[in-house]
Amino acid sequence: MVNIGEYVSYKTTGVCTVDSVIKMEIPGTKDQKDYYVLKPVYDEQGVIYCPVDYAENFVRAILSKDEANILISELETLPMFDMSNKKIFCI
């Protein structure tokens, strides 16, 4: 669950602000669902409607500077692995 006013990362769009939560009718039914209204930071005209039910698949929280620094410092403790004899396949 995200809060109105928070910055989030949405799929490949990038950083967005959570503008509001609205109810929208599901096409072809009379049912309504809650949707986050996301505003891309780098596109003033853009609006994204993301179903609240599926937000965990598409919306990620933005790390704070302190959280990012902790993550970077932990990278040094990860073991290195040797890929020199491995084949890499690109699909």
Side-chain angles (χ1 to χ4, degrees), residues 16-68:
C16 299
T17 56
V18 180
D19 186 65
S20 59
V21 177
I22 62 170
K23 288 198 178 294
M24 289 177 57
E25 189 172 303
I26 300 170
T29 72
K30 294 187 186 238
D31 295 336
Q32 290 193 342
K33 280 192 161 197
D34 289 333
Y35 285 78
Y36 289 118
V37 179
L38 306 176
K39 303 278 182 132
V41 171
Y42 301 108
D43 180 5
E44 292 179 13
Q45 310 271 338
V47 178
I48 297 167
Y49 300 97
C50 177
V52 171
D53 294 346
Y54 301 109
E56 67 183 31
N57 297 321
F58 303 115
V59 177
R60 292 183 294 125
I62 302 292
L63 293 178
S64 70
K65 181 179 178 180
D66 290 338
E67 291 169 325

Side-chain angles (χ1 to χ4, degrees), residues 55-82:
E56 67 183 31
N57 297 321
F58 303 115
V59 177
R60 292 183 294 125
I62 302 292
L63 293 178
S64 70
K65 181 179 178 180
D66 290 338
E67 291 169 325
N69 284 330
I70 290 169
L71 183 60
I72 290 167
S73 69
E74 290 176 355
L75 290 175
E76 296 171 359
T77 66
L78 296 176
M80 297 294 285
F81 57 94
D82 182 14

Side-chain angles (χ1 to χ4, degrees), residues 3-17:
N3 297 310
I4 294 172
E6 283 185 332
Y7 287 97
V8 296
S9 176
Y10 179 77
K11 293 172 69 173
T12 59
T13 302
V15 178
C16 299
T17 56

